[in-house]
Every structure is written in C-alpha cells, then in structure tokens.
Amino acid sequence: MSSTPEPKTTTDSISSEISGEVGRSHDRRTWAVTWRTYLRAVGPGLIAGASDTDPTTVATIAIIGAGTVYGMGWCVLLLFPVIAVIQSIATRVGVAGRLDLQAAVRAIYRPALGWLLLGSILVVNIVTIAADLEAGAAALGLLTGGDWRLFAAPLSVVLLAAVMLLGYHALQRAMKYLLLVLLAYAATAVLAHPDWGAVARGSLVPRVQWNRDFLFNVLSLIGTTATSYVYVWQTISQSEEKIPWHWHRVRQFDAVAGSLFATVVFWFILVATGATLGVNGLSVETAQDAARSLRPVAGAWAGSLFALGLLASALVALPVIIATTAYVTGTHLNWRRGLSLRPREAPKFFAAMGASVLVGLAAASAGMSPIQLLYWAGVVGAFGAPVGLAVLVGVASNSELMDGHAIGTGMKTAGWSIAVLITLVSAAGLYQLIAVGP
C-alpha cells in the first residue's frame, strides 16, 4: 500500500505500544498480551462495526419493525455471527497481508476482477452516501425544527473537512466517543415500554414466511449489514497500522466486539420501532414520521433520542464510507493515498473524497423520501455484497499473500457459506424485481 501512515506516537491506540515493543526487541516475551491489552485494542474494529449501524440500517429496521413488530428479532440476532465472521476474515487480511482488499485483489487476480470489485463498491457507496447524508440532515431537522434540506449541504462540508483535515488517528479517536451516542437507541427502546415477553418470543423463536415482503425484508437487512464498505474499511484500518502478526488475536477480539456492538444496536432499534410503529400499525415514510410516532407513545424524549441516534449513525458511518470510496479508487488506479497525508500530498485521493460527497449530495436531492431511499440502498447493497464477500474469502485463503497465515478450514467454510447464502437471497430478490416489479 502506497499510503504513508501517521507516526504511531500520535495515537492512544494499541499500535503505539506495539510499535515501541517491536522497535526495542524481537523477544516475544516483550509482546505479552494481557486483558488490559484487549481493552486498549478496542478501536478500529469497534468503529467499523459501529459504522454498520448507519442510517440505511436504521431505516431498514424501522420499516421492518413497523411491518412485523418484533417478528424478525431472531433475524437481527442472527446477524451477529455473520458480521463477526466477515469482520474476522477482513481483520486477518489487513493484519497478515498488510494490504487493503482492493490492493490484495490487484496483487493476485486479473484486472477485470479488480474493476468489478471497484464498481460494486462504488455503486453501493454512492447510494449509501446519498441516503446517509439525507438521513443526517433529516435528524438535524428533527432536533432543530427546521427543514432538513437546509442541513444537507452544510453537513456534507463539515464531514468532508473532518475526514480531510483530522487524519486517520485523530478521526478514529473522535469517532470512538461518538459511539456512545448510539446508545440513544437503547434508551429509546426502554422509553417505548415494549411487551418484553413478545420481544423475547420474536427474538428467540424463528418464524419464516415464504412471501415477497419477508424476502425483501431479509434482502434489505443483509444489504445494510453485509455492506462492502464495512469489511473493506476493516482491511484498510488494519493495514494502515501494520501491526505484527503476534497481535492478530487482539485485533480479532476488537472485530468481534464491534460486531456485537452493532448487533445490539440493531436489536434495540427493532424493539423501539416495533413497540411504537408496529404495535400501532403506523407506516414509515420519512425519518420525521419515525420520530414523530414515538412521541405519543413514549413521550417527546423518545422522539428526540431517536433523532439523536440517527444523527450519530450518520456521523460515524459517513467518514468511513467517504474514506473507503477514495481508498479503493486510489488503490485501483495506483494513486498516492492515506488519511495521514495532506491534501497537497495526495490531491487525487482527496479529490475522490470530494467527488463522492458531491455525487451523493446530488443523489440525495433527487426527491425520494429519506427512509425509502435508505431502504432501497440496503437492497442495492445486497446485490453488491456477493462480489465483495467472494473476493474477501478468496484473498484470505491465499497462503502466499497472507504470509503463511491463510484462514483455516472452519473459517473458510463459514465465509463461503455466508457468501453463498447472500448470493442466493440476492438472486431471489433480483428475480422478484424482474418478474413482479418493485
């Protein structure tokens, strides 16, 4: 990777500790891993997982909660092992291969596959940027009482400036604090006073319905949670820090912790919207409708907390998506790249960030309601997911590229099983779109 990482002394992450120990000695005894090490390691993987709770996911789960109440709670909980496996494989690629996914593809596959991966990522990312910008602006409108359209452009400028000027480690530290705001969804769920017995039944007893609505709910749920930017960013963040292989279990713990955090947030969103929208038979058209419907049932605080969580979701996810878009483009076209660089040092890389935001902002102004745009962004993501997942598992299985640390049979089987499952669900959804229409 041609990026230039920021000096490790500028971060409070575990990478500074690792770098110092490697520089002092190659004696493995100086690399002792304790429980404190695991706590300090929580960072990149947690942020990657939390970015999965972006507004596309919030909207999708709000729609599912409105339509099924708690009936798909078990599907939400089953996302944890799926996300954990994907993120663990991505972590291994970044730590062992010291390459982001796009760079790994360029190293071992034909150029055509690199273009296919790049195209699948860019299409999903642009749609997601548009959806998330619109949702973040809608959240600001909810909190201030203003028209959400007034906030879209200023929000774009602020986020783009933050990604360009803060640098990788400072941006990572800032987003770690933002994660706490996502717990507003948990508070909203409690304030909604759900029937916890019904919640338990919906979460623990699987109910499969062989109809179009159920299929599209599953499709959009997969699309918003197995989105390529999440695991691509995981490979980027791990390769940026270039930590020694001895610490891979620490970073695996971080990845699993991030996956668990994301799943818990997903579940609380379903409970909150099921207890308000679903129980009262209310449909969801906009983010304002979702928050407004909470107020009569759970009080004004619930609506405000939902809006606050939606804003935090956008603020955590958008920097990751914007940066990932520029990284994969720069990697494929062999540009100099890296968040620790100045714009004048990598002008094409930073220009790609600006272009992604401008295109996303233009798409966000197309007139579709925020929640529906977010929902269909998840469907688009599900169609792009099979390509990225197949490539990810293939890269992780390459012993030479992984410096002798390729994934084992168990993880390989799990990875391919998830890729095949998502491919089948996506194919079924595509057939429905072609045969029946949206």
Side-chain angles (χ1 to χ4, degrees):
M1 188 171 182
S2 57
S3 59
T4 305
E6 191 173 333
K8 300 294 191 276
T9 54
T10 64
T11 178
D12 61 357
S13 73
I14 191 173
S15 59
S16 59
E17 174 187 336
I18 295 170
S19 298
E21 290 181 357
V22 172
R24 287 193 300 270
S25 172
H26 291 285
D27 186 349
R28 292 177 69 91
R29 288 175 299 179
T30 67
W31 300 354
V33 178
T34 67
W35 64 270
R36 292 185 180 87
T37 305
Y38 280 87
L39 291 179
R40 293 185 61 192
V42 173
L46 187 61
I47 291 170
S51 72
D52 210 1
T53 63
D54 75 310
T56 62
T57 303
V58 177
T60 297
I61 297 177
I63 291 174
I64 291 173
T68 68
V69 192
Y70 316 118
M72 292 192 69
W74 62 275
C75 283
V76 172
L77 293 181
L78 281 178
L79 290 172
F80 169 63
V82 172
I83 299 171
V85 167
I86 294 172
Q87 291 300 89
S88 294
I89 294 175
T91 301
R92 201 175 187 96
V93 170
V95 175
R98 297 195 175 188
L99 294 170
D100 62 76
L101 185 59
Q102 191 72 34
V105 170
R106 289 186 70 232
I108 63 174
Y109 292 118
R110 293 180 181 274
L113 184 57
W115 281 109
L116 178 61
L117 177 63
L118 177 64
S120 69
I121 293 172
L122 292 184
V123 170
V124 174
N125 280 14
I126 293 301
V127 174
T128 307
I129 288 172
D132 288 359
L133 280 174
E134 195 165 339
L140 286 170
L142 286 168
L143 292 170
T144 63
D147 187 340
W148 69 268
R149 295 174 183 84
L150 299 176
F151 297 101
L155 178 63
S156 303
V157 173
V158 170
L159 286 170
L160 188 59
V163 176
M164 287 185 170
L165 301 178
L166 287 180
Y168 171 74
H169 294 298
L171 185 65
Q172 178 178 283
R173 287 197 299 272
M175 288 196 293
K176 283 173 68 174
Y177 291 108
L178 270 175
L179 301 186
L180 297 175
V181 185
L182 293 177
L183 297 178
Y185 290 122
T188 303
V190 173
L191 290 173
H193 303 293
D195 179 346
W196 290 109
V199 171
R201 288 190 295 274
S203 301
L204 302 176
V205 181
R207 289 192 301 170
V208 178
Q209 300 175 10
W210 300 107
N211 56 51
R212 187 172 184 268
D213 289 341
F214 179 81
L215 175 63
F216 265 83
N217 282 336
V218 173
L219 179 66
S220 58
L221 193 59
I222 290 174
T224 58
T225 54
T227 314
S228 55
Y229 77 81
V230 179
Y231 53 82
V232 172
W233 175 255
Q234 182 72 350
T235 65
I236 291 169
S237 62
Q238 302 304 320
S239 62
E240 273 274 354
E241 298 192 16
K242 302 188 185 305
I243 64 175
W245 173 250
H246 177 70
W247 292 82
H248 78 282
R249 293 190 183 278
V250 175
R251 281 301 163 87
Q252 294 284 4
F253 168 80
D254 183 30
V256 173
S259 303
L260 179 61
F261 179 84
T263 305
V264 169
V265 173
F266 298 159
W267 186 79
F268 276 122
I269 295 170
L270 181 74
V271 172
T273 55
T276 51
L277 305 175
V279 168
N280 291 281
L282 302 174
S283 61
V284 178
E285 293 296 333
T286 67
Q288 290 91 326
D289 289 341
R292 193 177 298 117
S293 67
L294 291 170
R295 293 191 173 103
V297 178
W301 277 105
S304 297
L305 285 172
F306 184 88
L308 185 62
L310 188 65
L311 178 59
S313 299
L315 293 178
V316 171
L318 278 167
V320 172
I321 305 171
I322 293 168
T324 300
T325 303
Y327 264 105
V328 295
T329 304
T331 297
H332 190 76
L333 299 177
N334 202 27
W335 296 342
R336 193 180 187 201
R337 60 201 177 276
L339 288 178
S340 56
L341 299 174
R342 302 289 183 184
R344 65 176 180 273
E345 296 174 314
K348 294 179 181 179
F349 172 73
F350 286 98
M353 287 189 193
S356 69
V357 173
L358 286 176
V359 175
L361 185 60
S365 305
M368 186 181 291
S369 70
I371 286 288
Q372 290 299 325
L373 179 58
L374 293 169
Y375 182 76
W376 285 104
V379 175
V380 172
F383 292 141
V387 176
L389 286 176
V391 170
L392 178 69
V393 178
V395 166
S397 303
N398 187 297
S399 183
E400 182 178 356
L401 185 67
M402 299 287 287
D403 195 25
H405 300 296
I407 55 175
T409 303
M411 187 65 75
K412 189 183 301 184
T413 300
W416 281 120
S417 298
I418 291 170
V420 169
L421 174 63
I422 291 177
T423 300
L424 292 175
V425 172
S426 299
L430 182 60
Y431 171 78
Q432 286 288 334
L433 280 179
I434 295 173
V436 183

